[in-house]
Amino acid sequence: MLDAGHGGKDPGNLGSGFREKDIALAIILKVGELLSKDKNIKVIYTRKKDVFVDLHERGAIANKADADLFVSVHCNSHHTQANGTETFVLGTKREETNFSVAKKENEVIFLEEDYEKNYEGYDPNNPESLIGLSLLMEDYLDQSILLASYVQDNFKNNLKLKSRGVKQEGFIVLHQTYMPSVLVETGFLTYKKEGKYLNSKKGQSDMASAIVDAILKYKSEVVADPIEVEEDPLDVPIETTDIYPEITFKVQIAAGSKLLETEPYNFKGLGEISMEKNENIYRYFYGSTSDYNKIKEKKREAIKKGYSTSFVIALKNGERVPLDKVLKTTSN
Ligand SMILES: [Zn+2]
């Protein structure tokens, strides 16, 4: 799901005389064009033209389409000479800064009719109040951060652009989606050099390529492991083994900022739970085996218990390795 920020009566920011809504759309259309070359990817847009779309409508379109990924593209602005790229995921842990990007990007709701009704309880001056509207859905946080970090890596390493990093803030548009979601701030239009670059064909095509590369890398890591749920429940469990002696497979069932005891009562009755902490995110795993067939069985169990976003990860000497690479090597 590709989302070009703003549109129609909402121009976004107009830093240095450039127009955010036009730049965001140009980058998104380019991303879509490049992604469509992959036969396994279906691209959908929240807008393909210069039209106004409510923030909650954008999420609804993605949810209805049952999208696997939501990528929103914007341009930043500030009254100082602030510059650089940053990618956001939904979260509560806003860093102490002198300005909030989410507050600015959320302001568009004032242009929507019935915004008080659609975003009841939301205080535009306090983006974190968004989190109070419902329980924070953290199921997709880990995947969102993974994609966001690939986007920022590409900006920094391939395009040699300044990276302000991966950040968490309360964006309405990210709050509405039930899938891994990121919001890319491609640079500051108010910083003339960046505005000029983003307004150029080259800048737009550079940004699009960097985002597409990140999505494809993310896909090879996370979606290499498709969810196979439509199976006959009377099927006998797989009896054959498929051993990778150097590899430990686990099923990642959940991730979030909350530390939970690895006891069955915290995980819908599942035992054999292990945990790993990395950059303030706790990841929880079910099962541990070198047998790929056995771990697929575990994944099916986890999905049946309600962990619908479960996926298999592979570890070698305690380090995470891409599953698709492991499976390409010959087993036994
Ligand atoms: Zn914006």
Side-chain angles (χ1 to χ4, degrees):
M1 188 84 226
L2 298 178
D3 177 51
H6 313 276
K9 65 185 173 186
D10 167 27
N13 89 70
L14 298 167
S16 311
F18 302 117
R19 277 207 296 203
E20 180 183 3
K21 66 171 182 178
D22 295 341
I23 297 174
L25 182 60
I27 295 172
I28 276 293
L29 290 177
K30 190 79 195 156
V31 169
E33 185 195 317
L34 295 171
L35 278 181
S36 302
K37 289 181 183 159
D38 186 326
K39 292 279 168 289
N40 295 313
I41 296 178
K42 188 180 171 200
V43 177
I44 318 164
Y45 302 84
T46 51
R47 70 176 181 101
K48 287 185 84 174
K49 287 181 298 197
D50 186 16
V51 291
F52 182 77
V53 187
D54 290 354
L55 286 183
H56 63 91
E57 189 60 35
R58 293 170 191 251
I61 296 169
N63 293 338
K64 219 187 238 167
D66 202 14
D68 297 305
L69 204 55
F70 183 89
V71 178
S72 188
V73 165
H74 289 254
C75 311
N76 231 329
S77 69
H78 201 243
H79 60 83
T80 66
Q81 286 299 291
N83 57 83
T85 63
E86 50 196 0
T87 299
F88 290 89
V89 300
L90 182 68
T92 48
K93 283 190 304 260
R94 184 152 71 83
E95 282 155 49
E96 287 303 317
T97 54
N98 57 343
F99 62 105
S100 158
V101 178
K103 195 175 146 191
K104 273 185 294 180
E105 297 290 11
N106 290 345
E107 262 167 13
V108 53
I109 62 167
F110 298 126
L111 296 175
E112 298 181 13
E113 285 162 36
D114 288 341
Y115 89 82
E116 291 96 337
K117 201 179 77 200
N118 288 327
Y119 309 103
E120 202 182 342
Y122 169 65
D123 171 7
N125 287 315
N126 176 17
E128 276 62 46
S129 67
L130 188 63
I131 308 308
L133 297 185
S134 64
L135 269 181
L136 176 59
M137 298 279 296
E138 283 200 320
D139 287 10
Y140 308 105
L141 187 59
D142 188 41
Q143 278 123 308
S144 304
I145 289 175
L146 184 69
L147 174 63
S149 64
Y150 289 159
V151 170
Q152 286 306 124
D153 284 352
N154 286 352
F155 286 163
K156 201 167 76 184
N157 302 329
N158 302 356
L159 301 181
K160 311 292 174 211
L161 295 173
K162 175 174 165 185
S163 169
R164 300 166 66 91
V166 173
K167 296 179 178 178
Q168 289 185 263
E169 265 194 52
F171 286 89
I172 291 176
V173 70
L174 298 181
H175 185 260
Q176 310 288 319
T177 60
Y178 297 113
M179 66 212 63
S181 304
V182 302
L183 187 145
V184 185
E185 290 284 356
T186 49
F188 287 74
L189 299 185
T190 40
Y191 187 69
K192 200 132 193 205
K193 204 179 131 199
E194 263 176 24
K196 227 171 159 179
Y197 176 67
L198 290 171
N199 199 48
S200 72
K201 273 242 143 50
K202 170 164 171 34
Q204 290 163 4
S205 124
D206 282 356
M207 296 316 278
S209 305
I211 294 168
V212 166
D213 284 355
I215 292 172
L216 295 177
K217 188 171 177 199
Y218 169 90
K219 177 172 169 279
S220 77
E221 194 134 314
V222 173
V223 197
D225 174 34
I227 294 170
E228 319 138 34
V229 267
E230 303 305 330
E231 277 181 47
D232 186 351
L234 296 176
D235 257 3
V236 281
I238 303 161
E239 298 286 357
T240 57
T241 56
D242 187 9
I243 307 286
Y244 293 74
E246 295 187 320
I247 301 294
T248 305
F249 296 109
K250 292 181 175 194
V251 181
Q252 181 167 324
I253 53 171
S257 52
K258 233 190 285 162
L259 174 61
L260 298 171
E261 269 185 82
T262 52
E263 297 294 334
Y265 56 79
N266 279 330
F267 296 92
K268 305 181 186 185
L270 294 177
E272 269 188 89
I273 300 290
S274 54
M275 185 270 285
E276 168 200 295
K277 190 190 178 200
N278 199 339
E279 288 178 43
N280 297 323
I281 303 269
Y282 298 96
R283 295 179 177 84
Y284 298 93
F285 307 102
Y286 173 47
S288 176
T289 172
S290 292
D291 185 340
Y292 185 60
N293 279 342
K294 214 169 245 167
I295 207 67
K296 282 199 284 190
E297 197 58 44
K298 295 271 185 207
K299 188 174 85 165
R300 273 191 283 273
E301 269 177 58
I303 289 169
K304 270 185 208 150
K305 288 275 187 185
Y307 291 104
S308 60
T309 59
S310 295
F311 59 98
V312 173
I313 64 144
L315 299 158
K316 190 176 181 178
N317 303 324
E319 295 283 320
R320 210 145 145 178
V321 284
L323 183 68
D324 59 340
K325 292 228 171 69
V326 170
L327 298 180
K328 262 181 225 154
T329 63
T330 348
S331 59
N332 304 309

